[in-house]
């Protein structure tokens, strides 16, 4: 008498698992919200910013009314702004400047001199003398990318 | 919560005029990304965004009744640009920098709504300014707009155009054109909390740093790459019959290259490709180091990976030439990487195999978007997560699925120790490998204190996207950050559950 066989040609195990995938990280950064550098408000006598503090400063801003003399000097400085009314003289001198602007009313004399400047803008009313010179790159008003330009007015 | 968002626009890599690539890189950080390109920064470091068309860059936020923020901008002043405050998809109010240089605060849409106030003077074209705002939403609500730290518009009026006295989105917009406006150093605060609840008025900027080395790692390396994998231009490159193409690569770490991948733009079922790796000989390709068997066919928008028959070890700091050989012409076959044109081509009979000595090549060819898939000689997890920009695919990553495992990295120092640090955000470009449950937190370890910041237990999407967590104070003592302490802190990611 034949014995009844059980035949199987395949066997598998199926496990019901919780699906917990991996976390994949392709990039990570830190973003720090930090202060710029500002000299703001009315300066009636003399305002000066110079030296190591601004050596690698990203932003220097002189805002408001400066009645006598305002001077900002830095090396390896990346950005410099002198804005507002300057009644006597304002000088901005820096090296390796990326961008600099002298904006607003300059009543007597404004001077900006720098090497390797990315952008220089002198805007607003200049009633006496304004001088801006740059070795690498200079933008004055609507003029862009002039090389070694010196402008004297008044 | 006071900090809603800080965005330096630095983490998306170098200048990029391929809006599609940029969109993929910004996912998660921004909600709506239309016609955005990456440009040179307006502040000292990193990058900025500019418009590649009619630009809309919108961040959806939890609804707030008072919104404080700022952004650095420059405009050519030939198109309207502005900041739009949104309630859902509806405009509540907006700040317009008009083509005249006058800045307006308007009820409703930023270019057409009723003017609530205007600046007394105009800005000049192509000058960089820092715009800030402090706007309460309401029918008779106070508003103040600042330019370069000085109030230019203030008063009380109707700052809403919907029935809600809230906004749920902020959008940077440029009406039309290309490269007509640039935005940088963006922050958003609400008025809650004891700090970061008022306009900063200090020409603030955002400096982004990336991992420099491993501090403590538990994640496993998933994939490593040599070269960038994201297109930064929209141009393409065509193969030619019997084309020999290579471009230079210099690995920063010793590694073994296993295959070469190419970003494909056009479909061809019949083109035959072969990978090649050559040594450098006085600035041009020299001897064949490794090749591979023929791969037939390419499909548009699908990465073509060409395995090397024998993986080739590469020495850190040494230049090599990676590329391919093709047998037939395929118009616009591959995407270009950038505009550097460092590729070299020659004609070399495909059926003859890879030449033992590279043929004389012609320089100045398109830089094709191709890269090497490598195995590092010694594991370095920071390498996989500090590629710039972060790969948009699984070409370079670390991974882990064990609860409490954590990777921490040493980061680059800030370019200078700042006088004040208002807040630090940690951002990670990450995903889940499948739809299973997995949560993570972004970590900041200062001295011995390891914190997760404002948002822990985050669930990454199943496609790569940015997640973030804010650290308004140093977790070691909950004191204001100093530059020294931030530079010394380690940062990373942890599996929460």
């Amino acid at each position: 008498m034949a014995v009844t066989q059980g035949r199987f040609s395949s066997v598998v195990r199926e496990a019901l698992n919780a699906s917990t995938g991996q976390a994949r990280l392709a990039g990570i950064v830190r973003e720090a919200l930090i202060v710029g550098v500002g000299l703001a408000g009315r300066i009636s006598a003399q305002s000066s910013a110079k030296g190591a503090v601004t050596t690698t400063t990203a932003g220097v801003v002189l805002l408001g009314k400066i009645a006598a003399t305002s001077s900002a000097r830095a090396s390896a400085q990346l950005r410099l702004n002198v804005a507002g009314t300057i009644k006597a003289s304002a000088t901005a001198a820096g090296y390796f400047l990326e961008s600099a602007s002298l904006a607003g009313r300059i009543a007597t004399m404004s001077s900006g001199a720098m090497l390797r400047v990315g952008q220089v803008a002198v805007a607003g009313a200049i009633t006496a003398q304004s001088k801006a010179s740059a070795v690498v790159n200079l933008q004055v008003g609507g003029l862009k990318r002039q090389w070694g330009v010196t402008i004297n007015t008044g | 919560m006071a900090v809603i968002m800080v965005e330096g626009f630095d983490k998306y890599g170098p200048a990029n005029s391929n809006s599609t690539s940029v969109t993929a890189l910004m996912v998660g950080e921004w909600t709506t990304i239309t016609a955005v390109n990456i440009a040179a920064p307006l502040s000292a470091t990193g990058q900025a965004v500019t418009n590649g068309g009619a630009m809309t860059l919108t961040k959806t936020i939890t609804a707030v009744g008072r919104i404080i923020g700022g952004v650095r901008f420059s405009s050519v002043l030939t198109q309207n640009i502005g900041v739009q405050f949104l309630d859902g998809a509806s405009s509540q109010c907006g700040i317009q920098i008009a083509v005249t240089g006058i800045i307006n605060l308007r009820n409703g849409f930023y270019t057409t709504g009723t003017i609530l106030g205007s600046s007394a003077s105009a800005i000049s074209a192509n000058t960089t300014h820092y715009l800030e705002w402090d706007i309460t939403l309401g029918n008779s609500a106070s508003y103040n707009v600042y330019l370069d730290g000085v109030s230019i518009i203030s008063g009380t009026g109707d700052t809403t155009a919907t029935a809600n006295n809230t906004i749920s989105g902020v959008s940077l917009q440029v009406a039309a054109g290309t490269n007509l406006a640039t935005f940088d150093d963006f922050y958003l605060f609400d008025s809650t909390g004891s700090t970061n609840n008022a306009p900063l008025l200090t020409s603030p900027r955002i400096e982004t740093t990336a991992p420099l080395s491993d501090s403590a790692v538990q994640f496993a390396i998933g994939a490593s790459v040599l070269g960038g994998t994201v297109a930064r231009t929209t141009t393409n490159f065509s193969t030619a019959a019997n084309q020999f193409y290579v471009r230079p690569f210099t690995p920063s770490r010793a590694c073994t290259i296993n295959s070469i991948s190419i970003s494909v733009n056009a479909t061809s079922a019949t083109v035959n490709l072969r990978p090649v790796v050559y040594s450098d000989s006085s600035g041009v390709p020299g001897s064949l180091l490794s090749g591979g068997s023929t791969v037939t066919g390419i499909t548009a928008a699908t990465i073509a990976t060409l395995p090397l028959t024998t993986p080739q070890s590469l020495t850190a700091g040494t230049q090599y030439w990676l590329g391919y050989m093709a047998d037939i012409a395929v118009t616009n076959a591959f995407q270009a990487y950038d505009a550097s044109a460092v590729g070299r081509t020659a004609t070399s009979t495909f059926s003859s195999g890879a030449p033992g000595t590279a043929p004389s090549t012609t320089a100045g060819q398109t830089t094709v978007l191709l890269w090497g898939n490598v195995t590092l000689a010694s594991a370095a997890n920071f390498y996989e997560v500090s590629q710039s920009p972060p790969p948009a695919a699984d070409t370079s990553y670390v991974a882990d699925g064990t609860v409490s495992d954590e990777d921490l990295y040493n980061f680059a120092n800030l370019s200078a120790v700042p006088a004040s640090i208002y807040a630090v955000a940690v951002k990670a470009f990450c995903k889940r490998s499948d739809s299973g449950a997995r949560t993570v937190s972004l970590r900041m370890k200062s001295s011995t204190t390891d914190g997760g910041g404002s948002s822990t237990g985050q669930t990454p999407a199943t496609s790569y996207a940015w997640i973030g967590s804010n650290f308004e104070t140093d977790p070691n003592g909950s004191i204001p950050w100093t530059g020294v302490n931030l530079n010394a802190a380690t940062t990373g990611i942890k599996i929460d559950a």
Side-chain angles (χ1 to χ4, degrees):
Chain A
M1 185 175 70
V3 176
T4 301
Q5 296 178 319
R7 297 182 179 180
F8 66 93
S9 62
S10 178
V11 62
V12 299
R13 291 201 306 214
E14 292 181 323
L16 178 62
N17 296 321
S19 175
T20 52
Q22 289 181 320
R24 294 186 176 184
L25 176 68
I28 189 167
V29 297
R30 290 200 305 225
E31 292 182 317
L33 177 62
I34 60 180
V35 67
V37 175
L39 300 177
R42 183 187 180 92
I43 303 173
S44 60
Q46 186 177 46
S47 172
S48 177
K50 65 173 69 176
V53 171
T54 60
T55 297
T56 55
T57 296
V60 174
V61 179
L62 304 181
L63 293 173
K65 187 172 184 177
I66 303 174
T69 300
S70 176
S71 176
R73 299 182 180 184
S75 297
Q77 187 170 309
L78 293 173
R79 181 171 183 76
L80 178 64
N81 291 318
V82 179
T85 299
I86 303 174
K87 285 191 174 179
S89 67
T91 301
Y95 294 90
F96 301 99
L97 287 175
E98 181 183 79
S99 176
S101 63
L102 304 177
R105 182 179 181 85
I106 303 175
T108 304
M109 183 175 72
S110 174
S111 175
M114 54 222 72
L115 297 172
R116 298 189 184 181
V117 173
Q119 179 181 347
V120 178
V122 178
I126 303 174
T127 57
Q129 184 184 47
S130 176
K131 179 180 180 181
S133 62
V135 172
V136 176
N137 195 351
L138 174 65
Q139 175 186 333
V140 178
L143 304 178
K144 295 181 179 178
R145 296 193 179 280
Q146 298 189 28
W147 296 73
V149 176
T150 298
I151 295 176
N152 288 287
T153 60
Chain B
M1 180 182 71
V3 172
I4 299 173
M5 179 188 194
V6 298
E7 166 66 291
F9 300 109
D10 306 328
K11 57 186 175 290
Y12 310 119
N16 190 329
S17 61
N18 187 322
S19 296
T20 302
S21 289
V22 174
T23 297
L25 290 173
M26 300 181 96
V27 167
E29 183 76 309
W30 294 87
T31 313
T32 302
I33 308 152
T34 303
V36 180
N37 290 346
I38 305 298
L42 294 179
S43 55
T45 59
Q47 306 296 326
V49 288
T50 187
N51 65 306
M55 182 183 111
T56 301
L57 185 58
T58 302
K59 175 71 173 180
T60 298
I61 63 174
T62 301
V64 295
R66 181 179 169 192
I67 187 71
I68 297 157
V71 67
R72 199 179 309 281
F73 74 94
S74 176
S75 173
V76 180
L77 295 183
T78 57
Q79 289 288 341
N80 284 307
I81 76 168
V83 183
Q84 184 68 59
F85 303 102
L86 299 162
D87 175 20
S90 301
S91 300
Q92 288 283 46
C93 58
I95 302 171
Q96 173 196 32
I97 295 96
V99 296
T100 58
I102 294 293
I103 297 172
N104 300 310
L105 175 65
R106 293 177 183 267
N107 174 278
F109 193 55
Y110 81 104
T111 64
T112 57
T114 301
I115 291 178
L116 298 173
S118 300
S119 61
S121 58
I123 64 168
S124 300
N126 301 309
T127 54
T128 300
H129 301 275
Y130 203 85
L131 178 74
E132 291 175 280
W133 54 86
D134 181 355
I135 299 172
T136 300
L137 284 301
N139 295 330
S140 179
S142 64
Y143 53 79
N144 214 324
V145 178
Y146 305 85
L147 188 70
D148 298 328
V150 176
S151 176
I152 56 169
I153 304 169
S154 63
T156 300
D158 187 358
T159 56
T160 62
T162 75
N164 300 319
N165 290 332
T166 56
I167 65 159
S168 58
V170 179
S171 180
L172 303 176
Q173 300 198 9
V174 181
T178 301
N179 299 329
L180 298 182
T182 306
F183 297 98
D184 201 354
D185 298 324
F186 178 76
Y187 76 87
L188 284 179
F189 295 167
D190 63 23
S191 58
T192 64
S194 58
T195 60
N196 295 328
N197 55 7
L200 296 173
L201 309 182
T202 57
S203 188
R205 64 189 182 90
I206 294 162
E207 185 164 335
T208 305
T209 50
L212 271 186
S213 62
D214 292 339
S215 174
V217 300
Q218 293 181 301
F219 280 45
I221 294 174
S224 308
V225 70
L226 171 60
T229 63
V230 175
R232 298 173 186 164
T233 176
T234 56
T235 59
N236 299 305
F237 184 70
S238 301
T239 64
N242 296 310
Q243 182 184 66
F244 175 96
Y245 176 94
V246 288
R247 50 170 281 215
F249 289 81
T250 302
S252 62
R253 299 185 66 84
C255 59
T256 297
I257 181 170
N258 306 302
S259 60
I260 293 173
S261 291
I262 313 176
S263 183
V264 177
N265 178 69
T267 297
S268 169
T270 55
V271 65
N272 289 310
L273 298 169
R274 174 188 300 124
V276 293
V277 179
Y278 282 83
S279 65
D280 181 81
S281 177
S282 302
V284 297
S287 299
L288 177 68
L289 297 176
S290 186
S293 56
T294 298
V295 173
T296 302
I298 54 176
T299 303
T302 301
I303 302 300
T305 295
L306 316 177
L308 295 169
T309 302
T310 304
Q312 175 64 40
S313 63
L314 305 178
T315 302
T318 298
Q319 178 167 290
Y320 299 91
W321 294 82
L322 311 184
Y324 64 86
M325 295 178 69
D327 66 340
I328 62 172
V330 179
T331 302
N332 293 327
F334 302 133
Q335 283 192 295
Y337 177 50
D338 59 19
S340 59
V342 297
R344 300 185 76 99
T345 58
T347 299
S348 181
T349 303
F350 185 87
S351 59
S352 299
T357 299
S360 177
T361 52
T362 301
Q365 305 301 308
T366 296
T367 303
V368 171
L369 180 51
L370 63 83
W371 59 88
N373 301 298
V374 303
T375 303
L376 298 183
S378 58
N381 283 26
F382 79 94
Y383 179 87
E384 281 70 26
V385 300
S386 60
Q387 302 298 298
S388 180
D394 283 335
T395 53
S396 178
Y397 70 93
V398 297
D400 197 296
T402 303
V403 174
S404 297
D405 273 6
E406 182 176 15
D407 256 18
L408 289 171
Y409 311 108
N410 300 306
F411 271 61
N413 287 344
L414 296 170
S415 61
V417 175
S420 296
I421 299 176
Y422 300 113
V424 180
V426 177
K427 311 281 182 67
F429 198 60
C430 63
K431 76 168 195 177
R432 278 178 294 151
S433 60
D434 58 39
S435 59
R438 183 62 64 210
T439 60
V440 301
S441 60
L442 305 179
R443 313 302 296 185
M444 183 80 78
K445 187 174 183 180
S446 179
S447 186
T448 58
T449 305
D450 188 337
S454 62
S455 183
T456 58
Q458 300 189 68
T459 300
T462 52
S463 297
Y464 280 104
W466 290 100
I467 61 173
S469 187
N470 298 325
F471 296 78
E472 295 194 56
T473 56
D474 185 336
N476 183 29
S478 297
I479 57 176
W481 280 108
T482 66
V484 171
N485 287 345
L486 177 58
N487 287 341
T490 58
T491 295
I493 189 170
K494 181 179 181 180
I495 304 295
D496 284 348

